[in-house]
Amino acid sequence: MNSPSSPPDAPAAPSRRELNKAATRQAITDAALALLRSKGPGGFTAEDIAEAAGISRRTFFNYFNSTDAALASVTHGFLDIVIRQLQLRPAEEPLLEAAQAALMALADPRTVEPLAELFALTQHSQLMAHTELEAWDHCRAQVFTVARDRVAATPDGSDELYVHALAGSVISCGKAAMEVWFSRRGPDLSPASLAELRQLLIDAMALLGSGFTPPAGAGTSTAPATPARPSAPSAAHSS
């Protein structure tokens, strides 16, 4: 039995069948991303992906129902890595602190490269808008499941509104980090650029955990401390 402060036991090693399925899924994902690079949005079909991955069309559709889903799985792959790190965190650790720690555990900036590349390739393309929406919706569902399980394990039990709001907020912060990174770096996938993206994701979780407390000095000279009271009616408008 784990002590209260120890992380949960690591999951059992996957079977050979599970490893083979994961390898096939990864081959499809890699082929879809390679075709997106070379042919651009809308320039290839599910059959093209299957051929590039060395599988049959039927096998492709056993894993994904569309080219959009295959491309969105690039984001899923990154999230799966983060979720595995999150599951290793102590159960009593606040979820947002655990999320930060999980992201910091991804010491190699190249871990975020497929996520960053897909985001860069899907900007400015209406054809890829559905792919991006599908990817982020999958992320939200995954974060919801983890949040629900962790909150349900606390003495107070689960709160449906809290978990839904938290999952949505985590995804919004992740998207914000991606957008800021892309506005600064564009399609740059150098190690320094990827390290900056990783740090932005960590910082976004910190902002959420602090209740979006602005950085020191940000906006303090223009925002009033308290709302101004309405002024009294002027004499010209009084009866």
PDB file of all heavy atoms in Angstrom, residues 173-209:
ATOM      1  N   CYS A 173      -5.728  27.566 -21.122  1.00  0.00           N
ATOM      2  CA  CYS A 173      -4.367  28.020 -20.811  1.00  0.00           C
ATOM      3  C   CYS A 173      -3.346  27.375 -21.747  1.00  0.00           C
ATOM      4  O   CYS A 173      -2.386  28.029 -22.181  1.00  0.00           O
ATOM      5  CB  CYS A 173      -4.034  27.707 -19.355  1.00  0.00           C
ATOM      6  SG  CYS A 173      -4.846  28.796 -18.164  1.00  0.00           S
ATOM      7  N   GLY A 174      -3.546  26.106 -22.060  1.00  0.00           N
ATOM      8  CA  GLY A 174      -2.648  25.450 -22.994  1.00  0.00           C
ATOM      9  C   GLY A 174      -2.698  26.087 -24.371  1.00  0.00           C
ATOM     10  O   GLY A 174      -1.658  26.329 -25.000  1.00  0.00           O
ATOM     11  N   LYS A 175      -3.894  26.400 -24.839  1.00  0.00           N
ATOM     12  CA  LYS A 175      -4.037  27.054 -26.136  1.00  0.00           C
ATOM     13  C   LYS A 175      -3.405  28.443 -26.110  1.00  0.00           C
ATOM     14  O   LYS A 175      -2.770  28.864 -27.084  1.00  0.00           O
ATOM     15  CB  LYS A 175      -5.516  27.152 -26.516  1.00  0.00           C
ATOM     16  CG  LYS A 175      -6.141  25.813 -26.832  1.00  0.00           C
ATOM     17  CD  LYS A 175      -7.636  25.930 -27.068  1.00  0.00           C
ATOM     18  CE  LYS A 175      -7.956  26.647 -28.352  1.00  0.00           C
ATOM     19  NZ  LYS A 175      -9.421  26.651 -28.627  1.00  0.00           N
ATOM     20  N   ALA A 176      -3.588  29.158 -24.989  1.00  0.00           N
ATOM     21  CA  ALA A 176      -2.990  30.493 -24.875  1.00  0.00           C
ATOM     22  C   ALA A 176      -1.471  30.413 -24.968  1.00  0.00           C
ATOM     23  O   ALA A 176      -0.827  31.236 -25.635  1.00  0.00           O
ATOM     24  CB  ALA A 176      -3.415  31.141 -23.556  1.00  0.00           C
ATOM     25  N   ALA A 177      -0.880  29.419 -24.303  1.00  0.00           N
ATOM     26  CA  ALA A 177       0.574  29.251 -24.361  1.00  0.00           C
ATOM     27  C   ALA A 177       1.029  28.972 -25.792  1.00  0.00           C
ATOM     28  O   ALA A 177       2.033  29.517 -26.263  1.00  0.00           O
ATOM     29  CB  ALA A 177       1.008  28.112 -23.430  1.00  0.00           C
ATOM     30  N   MET A 178       0.278  28.128 -26.509  1.00  0.00           N
ATOM     31  CA  MET A 178       0.615  27.821 -27.889  1.00  0.00           C
ATOM     32  C   MET A 178       0.532  29.066 -28.767  1.00  0.00           C
ATOM     33  O   MET A 178       1.397  29.315 -29.616  1.00  0.00           O
ATOM     34  CB  MET A 178      -0.335  26.751 -28.437  1.00  0.00           C
ATOM     35  CG  MET A 178      -0.264  25.410 -27.735  1.00  0.00           C
ATOM     36  SD  MET A 178       1.280  24.523 -27.997  1.00  0.00           S
ATOM     37  CE  MET A 178       1.238  24.271 -29.760  1.00  0.00           C
ATOM     38  N   GLU A 179      -0.511  29.862 -28.570  1.00  0.00           N
ATOM     39  CA  GLU A 179      -0.703  31.065 -29.395  1.00  0.00           C
ATOM     40  C   GLU A 179       0.395  32.099 -29.139  1.00  0.00           C
ATOM     41  O   GLU A 179       0.899  32.723 -30.084  1.00  0.00           O
ATOM     42  CB  GLU A 179      -2.085  31.650 -29.123  1.00  0.00           C
ATOM     43  CG  GLU A 179      -3.216  30.789 -29.699  1.00  0.00           C
ATOM     44  CD  GLU A 179      -4.574  31.117 -29.099  1.00  0.00           C
ATOM     45  OE1 GLU A 179      -4.648  32.039 -28.241  1.00  0.00           O
ATOM     46  OE2 GLU A 179      -5.566  30.448 -29.481  1.00  0.00           O
ATOM     47  N   VAL A 180       0.763  32.277 -27.869  1.00  0.00           N
ATOM     48  CA  VAL A 180       1.842  33.221 -27.550  1.00  0.00           C
ATOM     49  C   VAL A 180       3.151  32.733 -28.158  1.00  0.00           C
ATOM     50  O   VAL A 180       3.910  33.507 -28.752  1.00  0.00           O
ATOM     51  CB  VAL A 180       1.979  33.398 -26.024  1.00  0.00           C
ATOM     52  CG1 VAL A 180       3.259  34.155 -25.676  1.00  0.00           C
ATOM     53  CG2 VAL A 180       0.765  34.145 -25.467  1.00  0.00           C
ATOM     54  N   TRP A 181       3.407  31.421 -28.017  1.00  0.00           N
ATOM     55  CA  TRP A 181       4.635  30.864 -28.606  1.00  0.00           C
ATOM     56  C   TRP A 181       4.668  31.104 -30.110  1.00  0.00           C
ATOM     57  O   TRP A 181       5.680  31.564 -30.648  1.00  0.00           O
ATOM     58  CB  TRP A 181       4.710  29.366 -28.306  1.00  0.00           C
ATOM     59  CG  TRP A 181       5.753  28.665 -29.122  1.00  0.00           C
ATOM     60  CD1 TRP A 181       7.109  28.677 -28.909  1.00  0.00           C
ATOM     61  CD2 TRP A 181       5.549  27.889 -30.312  1.00  0.00           C
ATOM     62  NE1 TRP A 181       7.749  27.941 -29.890  1.00  0.00           N
ATOM     63  CE2 TRP A 181       6.820  27.452 -30.761  1.00  0.00           C
ATOM     64  CE3 TRP A 181       4.409  27.515 -31.026  1.00  0.00           C
ATOM     65  CZ2 TRP A 181       6.967  26.660 -31.895  1.00  0.00           C
ATOM     66  CZ3 TRP A 181       4.559  26.736 -32.159  1.00  0.00           C
ATOM     67  CH2 TRP A 181       5.828  26.320 -32.585  1.00  0.00           C
ATOM     68  N   PHE A 182       3.568  30.819 -30.804  1.00  0.00           N
ATOM     69  CA  PHE A 182       3.561  30.963 -32.258  1.00  0.00           C
ATOM     70  C   PHE A 182       3.697  32.423 -32.678  1.00  0.00           C
ATOM     71  O   PHE A 182       4.347  32.736 -33.676  1.00  0.00           O
ATOM     72  CB  PHE A 182       2.276  30.371 -32.837  1.00  0.00           C
ATOM     73  CG  PHE A 182       2.265  30.301 -34.341  1.00  0.00           C
ATOM     74  CD1 PHE A 182       3.030  29.361 -35.011  1.00  0.00           C
ATOM     75  CD2 PHE A 182       1.515  31.193 -35.080  1.00  0.00           C
ATOM     76  CE1 PHE A 182       3.036  29.296 -36.399  1.00  0.00           C
ATOM     77  CE2 PHE A 182       1.510  31.141 -36.470  1.00  0.00           C
ATOM     78  CZ  PHE A 182       2.273  30.186 -37.134  1.00  0.00           C
ATOM     79  N   SER A 183       3.102  33.345 -31.891  1.00  0.00           N
ATOM     80  CA  SER A 183       3.236  34.767 -32.228  1.00  0.00           C
ATOM     81  C   SER A 183       4.681  35.236 -32.091  1.00  0.00           C
ATOM     82  O   SER A 183       5.113  36.150 -32.788  1.00  0.00           O
ATOM     83  CB  SER A 183       2.326  35.615 -31.327  1.00  0.00           C
ATOM     84  OG  SER A 183       2.811  35.649 -29.990  1.00  0.00           O
ATOM     85  N   ARG A 184       5.441  34.591 -31.200  1.00  0.00           N
ATOM     86  CA  ARG A 184       6.844  34.959 -30.998  1.00  0.00           C
ATOM     87  C   ARG A 184       7.783  34.236 -31.952  1.00  0.00           C
ATOM     88  O   ARG A 184       8.752  34.808 -32.445  1.00  0.00           O
ATOM     89  CB  ARG A 184       7.267  34.623 -29.557  1.00  0.00           C
ATOM     90  CG  ARG A 184       6.579  35.432 -28.476  1.00  0.00           C
ATOM     91  CD  ARG A 184       7.060  34.947 -27.111  1.00  0.00           C
ATOM     92  NE  ARG A 184       6.435  35.681 -26.012  1.00  0.00           N
ATOM     93  CZ  ARG A 184       6.638  35.405 -24.722  1.00  0.00           C
ATOM     94  NH1 ARG A 184       7.452  34.409 -24.390  1.00  0.00           N
ATOM     95  NH2 ARG A 184       6.032  36.117 -23.791  1.00  0.00           N
ATOM     96  N   ARG A 185       7.501  32.964 -32.193  1.00  0.00           N
ATOM     97  CA  ARG A 185       8.471  32.107 -32.885  1.00  0.00           C
ATOM     98  C   ARG A 185       8.045  31.659 -34.273  1.00  0.00           C
ATOM     99  O   ARG A 185       8.885  31.198 -35.048  1.00  0.00           O
ATOM    100  CB  ARG A 185       8.731  30.866 -32.026  1.00  0.00           C
ATOM    101  CG  ARG A 185       9.420  31.162 -30.694  1.00  0.00           C
ATOM    102  CD  ARG A 185      10.884  31.472 -30.918  1.00  0.00           C
ATOM    103  NE  ARG A 185      11.639  31.485 -29.668  1.00  0.00           N
ATOM    104  CZ  ARG A 185      12.955  31.400 -29.606  1.00  0.00           C
ATOM    105  NH1 ARG A 185      13.672  31.284 -30.709  1.00  0.00           N
ATOM    106  NH2 ARG A 185      13.580  31.438 -28.449  1.00  0.00           N
ATOM    107  N   GLY A 186       6.734  31.767 -34.573  1.00  0.00           N
ATOM    108  CA  GLY A 186       6.281  31.269 -35.861  1.00  0.00           C
ATOM    109  C   GLY A 186       6.556  29.777 -35.983  1.00  0.00           C
ATOM    110  O   GLY A 186       6.433  29.032 -35.018  1.00  0.00           O
ATOM    111  N   PRO A 187       6.957  29.299 -37.160  1.00  0.00           N
ATOM    112  CA  PRO A 187       7.198  27.868 -37.355  1.00  0.00           C
ATOM    113  C   PRO A 187       8.568  27.380 -36.870  1.00  0.00           C
ATOM    114  O   PRO A 187       8.979  26.263 -37.186  1.00  0.00           O
ATOM    115  CB  PRO A 187       7.074  27.704 -38.877  1.00  0.00           C
ATOM    116  CG  PRO A 187       7.524  29.015 -39.414  1.00  0.00           C
ATOM    117  CD  PRO A 187       7.074  30.057 -38.424  1.00  0.00           C
ATOM    118  N   ASP A 188       9.281  28.191 -36.113  1.00  0.00           N
ATOM    119  CA  ASP A 188      10.613  27.823 -35.616  1.00  0.00           C
ATOM    120  C   ASP A 188      10.511  26.637 -34.666  1.00  0.00           C
ATOM    121  O   ASP A 188       9.847  26.712 -33.631  1.00  0.00           O
ATOM    122  CB  ASP A 188      11.221  29.037 -34.901  1.00  0.00           C
ATOM    123  CG  ASP A 188      12.584  28.731 -34.278  1.00  0.00           C
ATOM    124  OD1 ASP A 188      13.171  27.678 -34.601  1.00  0.00           O
ATOM    125  OD2 ASP A 188      13.062  29.571 -33.488  1.00  0.00           O
ATOM    126  N   LEU A 189      11.164  25.532 -35.010  1.00  0.00           N
ATOM    127  CA  LEU A 189      11.157  24.331 -34.173  1.00  0.00           C
ATOM    128  C   LEU A 189      12.546  24.017 -33.622  1.00  0.00           C
ATOM    129  O   LEU A 189      12.876  22.867 -33.340  1.00  0.00           O
ATOM    130  CB  LEU A 189      10.630  23.138 -34.973  1.00  0.00           C
ATOM    131  CG  LEU A 189       9.187  23.247 -35.482  1.00  0.00           C
ATOM    132  CD1 LEU A 189       8.838  22.033 -36.336  1.00  0.00           C
ATOM    133  CD2 LEU A 189       8.212  23.388 -34.326  1.00  0.00           C
ATOM    134  N   SER A 190      13.361  25.066 -33.458  1.00  0.00           N
ATOM    135  CA  SER A 190      14.693  24.873 -32.895  1.00  0.00           C
ATOM    136  C   SER A 190      14.577  24.478 -31.420  1.00  0.00           C
ATOM    137  O   SER A 190      13.541  24.700 -30.783  1.00  0.00           O
ATOM    138  CB  SER A 190      15.491  26.170 -33.005  1.00  0.00           C
ATOM    139  OG  SER A 190      14.907  27.180 -32.185  1.00  0.00           O
ATOM    140  N   PRO A 191      15.634  23.875 -30.852  1.00  0.00           N
ATOM    141  CA  PRO A 191      15.593  23.506 -29.430  1.00  0.00           C
ATOM    142  C   PRO A 191      15.247  24.688 -28.526  1.00  0.00           C
ATOM    143  O   PRO A 191      14.488  24.528 -27.561  1.00  0.00           O
ATOM    144  CB  PRO A 191      17.003  22.977 -29.159  1.00  0.00           C
ATOM    145  CG  PRO A 191      17.454  22.437 -30.474  1.00  0.00           C
ATOM    146  CD  PRO A 191      16.871  23.370 -31.502  1.00  0.00           C
ATOM    147  N   ALA A 192      15.775  25.874 -28.820  1.00  0.00           N
ATOM    148  CA  ALA A 192      15.479  27.043 -27.985  1.00  0.00           C
ATOM    149  C   ALA A 192      14.007  27.418 -28.071  1.00  0.00           C
ATOM    150  O   ALA A 192      13.370  27.776 -27.064  1.00  0.00           O
ATOM    151  CB  ALA A 192      16.347  28.227 -28.416  1.00  0.00           C
ATOM    152  N   SER A 193      13.428  27.326 -29.266  1.00  0.00           N
ATOM    153  CA  SER A 193      12.021  27.644 -29.446  1.00  0.00           C
ATOM    154  C   SER A 193      11.132  26.642 -28.720  1.00  0.00           C
ATOM    155  O   SER A 193      10.159  27.012 -28.051  1.00  0.00           O
ATOM    156  CB  SER A 193      11.679  27.663 -30.938  1.00  0.00           C
ATOM    157  OG  SER A 193      10.307  27.921 -31.136  1.00  0.00           O
ATOM    158  N   LEU A 194      11.467  25.361 -28.821  1.00  0.00           N
ATOM    159  CA  LEU A 194      10.683  24.328 -28.143  1.00  0.00           C
ATOM    160  C   LEU A 194      10.805  24.442 -26.632  1.00  0.00           C
ATOM    161  O   LEU A 194       9.836  24.206 -25.898  1.00  0.00           O
ATOM    162  CB  LEU A 194      11.137  22.947 -28.615  1.00  0.00           C
ATOM    163  CG  LEU A 194      10.896  22.649 -30.096  1.00  0.00           C
ATOM    164  CD1 LEU A 194      11.522  21.307 -30.476  1.00  0.00           C
ATOM    165  CD2 LEU A 194       9.416  22.664 -30.426  1.00  0.00           C
ATOM    166  N   ALA A 195      11.979  24.825 -26.149  1.00  0.00           N
ATOM    167  CA  ALA A 195      12.158  25.040 -24.708  1.00  0.00           C
ATOM    168  C   ALA A 195      11.283  26.195 -24.230  1.00  0.00           C
ATOM    169  O   ALA A 195      10.721  26.148 -23.127  1.00  0.00           O
ATOM    170  CB  ALA A 195      13.625  25.319 -24.398  1.00  0.00           C
ATOM    171  N   GLU A 196      11.158  27.219 -25.064  1.00  0.00           N
ATOM    172  CA  GLU A 196      10.301  28.349 -24.705  1.00  0.00           C
ATOM    173  C   GLU A 196       8.836  27.921 -24.641  1.00  0.00           C
ATOM    174  O   GLU A 196       8.099  28.326 -23.733  1.00  0.00           O
ATOM    175  CB  GLU A 196      10.465  29.486 -25.711  1.00  0.00           C
ATOM    176  CG  GLU A 196       9.627  30.714 -25.370  1.00  0.00           C
ATOM    177  CD  GLU A 196       9.904  31.896 -26.283  1.00  0.00           C
ATOM    178  OE1 GLU A 196      10.832  31.825 -27.105  1.00  0.00           O
ATOM    179  OE2 GLU A 196       9.166  32.905 -26.158  1.00  0.00           O
ATOM    180  N   LEU A 197       8.406  27.083 -25.582  1.00  0.00           N
ATOM    181  CA  LEU A 197       7.030  26.589 -25.558  1.00  0.00           C
ATOM    182  C   LEU A 197       6.771  25.779 -24.295  1.00  0.00           C
ATOM    183  O   LEU A 197       5.745  25.946 -23.629  1.00  0.00           O
ATOM    184  CB  LEU A 197       6.758  25.737 -26.799  1.00  0.00           C
ATOM    185  CG  LEU A 197       5.408  25.011 -26.822  1.00  0.00           C
ATOM    186  CD1 LEU A 197       4.254  25.991 -26.654  1.00  0.00           C
ATOM    187  CD2 LEU A 197       5.257  24.201 -28.103  1.00  0.00           C
ATOM    188  N   ARG A 198       7.689  24.885 -23.950  1.00  0.00           N
ATOM    189  CA  ARG A 198       7.534  24.089 -22.727  1.00  0.00           C
ATOM    190  C   ARG A 198       7.385  25.001 -21.506  1.00  0.00           C
ATOM    191  O   ARG A 198       6.524  24.789 -20.652  1.00  0.00           O
ATOM    192  CB  ARG A 198       8.742  23.169 -22.562  1.00  0.00           C
ATOM    193  CG  ARG A 198       8.828  22.442 -21.216  1.00  0.00           C
ATOM    194  CD  ARG A 198      10.078  21.570 -21.179  1.00  0.00           C
ATOM    195  NE  ARG A 198      10.329  21.035 -19.860  1.00  0.00           N
ATOM    196  CZ  ARG A 198      11.020  21.663 -18.910  1.00  0.00           C
ATOM    197  NH1 ARG A 198      11.528  22.872 -19.145  1.00  0.00           N
ATOM    198  NH2 ARG A 198      11.211  21.101 -17.727  1.00  0.00           N
ATOM    199  N   GLN A 199       8.205  26.049 -21.441  1.00  0.00           N
ATOM    200  CA  GLN A 199       8.139  26.959 -20.297  1.00  0.00           C
ATOM    201  C   GLN A 199       6.827  27.742 -20.290  1.00  0.00           C
ATOM    202  O   GLN A 199       6.249  27.995 -19.223  1.00  0.00           O
ATOM    203  CB  GLN A 199       9.324  27.924 -20.317  1.00  0.00           C
ATOM    204  CG  GLN A 199       9.438  28.770 -19.050  1.00  0.00           C
ATOM    205  CD  GLN A 199       9.592  27.921 -17.797  1.00  0.00           C
ATOM    206  OE1 GLN A 199      10.443  27.024 -17.749  1.00  0.00           O
ATOM    207  NE2 GLN A 199       8.758  28.172 -16.787  1.00  0.00           N
ATOM    208  N   LEU A 200       6.345  28.127 -21.460  1.00  0.00           N
ATOM    209  CA  LEU A 200       5.068  28.840 -21.532  1.00  0.00           C
ATOM    210  C   LEU A 200       3.925  27.953 -21.039  1.00  0.00           C
ATOM    211  O   LEU A 200       3.003  28.443 -20.360  1.00  0.00           O
ATOM    212  CB  LEU A 200       4.801  29.303 -22.966  1.00  0.00           C
ATOM    213  CG  LEU A 200       5.586  30.523 -23.438  1.00  0.00           C
ATOM    214  CD1 LEU A 200       5.465  30.686 -24.949  1.00  0.00           C
ATOM    215  CD2 LEU A 200       5.101  31.794 -22.724  1.00  0.00           C
ATOM    216  N   LEU A 201       3.963  26.681 -21.364  1.00  0.00           N
ATOM    217  CA  LEU A 201       2.937  25.768 -20.871  1.00  0.00           C
ATOM    218  C   LEU A 201       2.983  25.659 -19.350  1.00  0.00           C
ATOM    219  O   LEU A 201       1.946  25.667 -18.669  1.00  0.00           O
ATOM    220  CB  LEU A 201       3.121  24.387 -21.504  1.00  0.00           C
ATOM    221  CG  LEU A 201       2.783  24.293 -22.998  1.00  0.00           C
ATOM    222  CD1 LEU A 201       3.325  22.989 -23.585  1.00  0.00           C
ATOM    223  CD2 LEU A 201       1.289  24.398 -23.230  1.00  0.00           C
ATOM    224  N   ILE A 202       4.192  25.581 -18.798  1.00  0.00           N
ATOM    225  CA  ILE A 202       4.347  25.532 -17.341  1.00  0.00           C
ATOM    226  C   ILE A 202       3.842  26.828 -16.708  1.00  0.00           C
ATOM    227  O   ILE A 202       3.111  26.815 -15.707  1.00  0.00           O
ATOM    228  CB  ILE A 202       5.827  25.288 -16.975  1.00  0.00           C
ATOM    229  CG1 ILE A 202       6.261  23.890 -17.425  1.00  0.00           C
ATOM    230  CG2 ILE A 202       6.059  25.464 -15.476  1.00  0.00           C
ATOM    231  CD1 ILE A 202       7.754  23.648 -17.352  1.00  0.00           C
ATOM    232  N   ASP A 203       4.218  27.971 -17.297  1.00  0.00           N
ATOM    233  CA  ASP A 203       3.811  29.267 -16.757  1.00  0.00           C
ATOM    234  C   ASP A 203       2.296  29.454 -16.831  1.00  0.00           C
ATOM    235  O   ASP A 203       1.688  30.076 -15.945  1.00  0.00           O
ATOM    236  CB  ASP A 203       4.505  30.399 -17.513  1.00  0.00           C
ATOM    237  CG  ASP A 203       6.007  30.432 -17.266  1.00  0.00           C
ATOM    238  OD1 ASP A 203       6.461  29.762 -16.321  1.00  0.00           O
ATOM    239  OD2 ASP A 203       6.716  31.121 -18.025  1.00  0.00           O
ATOM    240  N   ALA A 204       1.673  28.925 -17.895  1.00  0.00           N
ATOM    241  CA  ALA A 204       0.225  29.050 -18.023  1.00  0.00           C
ATOM    242  C   ALA A 204      -0.482  28.293 -16.906  1.00  0.00           C
ATOM    243  O   ALA A 204      -1.475  28.776 -16.343  1.00  0.00           O
ATOM    244  CB  ALA A 204      -0.233  28.530 -19.383  1.00  0.00           C
ATOM    245  N   MET A 205       0.038  27.106 -16.550  1.00  0.00           N
ATOM    246  CA  MET A 205      -0.550  26.365 -15.428  1.00  0.00           C
ATOM    247  C   MET A 205      -0.353  27.114 -14.118  1.00  0.00           C
ATOM    248  O   MET A 205      -1.219  27.104 -13.240  1.00  0.00           O
ATOM    249  CB  MET A 205       0.087  24.975 -15.324  1.00  0.00           C
ATOM    250  CG  MET A 205      -0.234  24.028 -16.468  1.00  0.00           C
ATOM    251  SD  MET A 205      -1.988  23.749 -16.758  1.00  0.00           S
ATOM    252  CE  MET A 205      -2.231  24.742 -18.242  1.00  0.00           C
ATOM    253  N   ALA A 206       0.786  27.819 -13.989  1.00  0.00           N
ATOM    254  CA  ALA A 206       1.039  28.598 -12.777  1.00  0.00           C
ATOM    255  C   ALA A 206       0.050  29.760 -12.680  1.00  0.00           C
ATOM    256  O   ALA A 206      -0.442  30.077 -11.587  1.00  0.00           O
ATOM    257  CB  ALA A 206       2.474  29.123 -12.778  1.00  0.00           C
ATOM    258  N   LEU A 207      -0.239  30.399 -13.798  1.00  0.00           N
ATOM    259  CA  LEU A 207      -1.223  31.486 -13.796  1.00  0.00           C
ATOM    260  C   LEU A 207      -2.591  30.983 -13.349  1.00  0.00           C
ATOM    261  O   LEU A 207      -3.282  31.626 -12.560  1.00  0.00           O
ATOM    262  CB  LEU A 207      -1.330  32.105 -15.191  1.00  0.00           C
ATOM    263  CG  LEU A 207      -0.247  33.091 -15.602  1.00  0.00           C
ATOM    264  CD1 LEU A 207      -0.436  33.481 -17.066  1.00  0.00           C
ATOM    265  CD2 LEU A 207      -0.296  34.334 -14.719  1.00  0.00           C
ATOM    266  N   LEU A 208      -2.979  29.837 -13.863  1.00  0.00           N
ATOM    267  CA  LEU A 208      -4.270  29.269 -13.480  1.00  0.00           C
ATOM    268  C   LEU A 208      -4.284  28.921 -11.997  1.00  0.00           C
ATOM    269  O   LEU A 208      -5.257  29.197 -11.289  1.00  0.00           O
ATOM    270  CB  LEU A 208      -4.546  28.019 -14.329  1.00  0.00           C
ATOM    271  CG  LEU A 208      -5.875  27.302 -14.102  1.00  0.00           C
ATOM    272  CD1 LEU A 208      -7.052  28.248 -14.277  1.00  0.00           C
ATOM    273  CD2 LEU A 208      -5.996  26.124 -15.060  1.00  0.00           C
ATOM    274  N   GLY A 209      -3.182  28.354 -11.517  1.00  0.00           N
ATOM    275  CA  GLY A 209      -3.109  27.983 -10.103  1.00  0.00           C
ATOM    276  C   GLY A 209      -3.141  29.176  -9.166  1.00  0.00           C
ATOM    277  O   GLY A 209      -3.618  29.079  -8.032  1.00  0.00           O
TER     278      GLY A 209
END
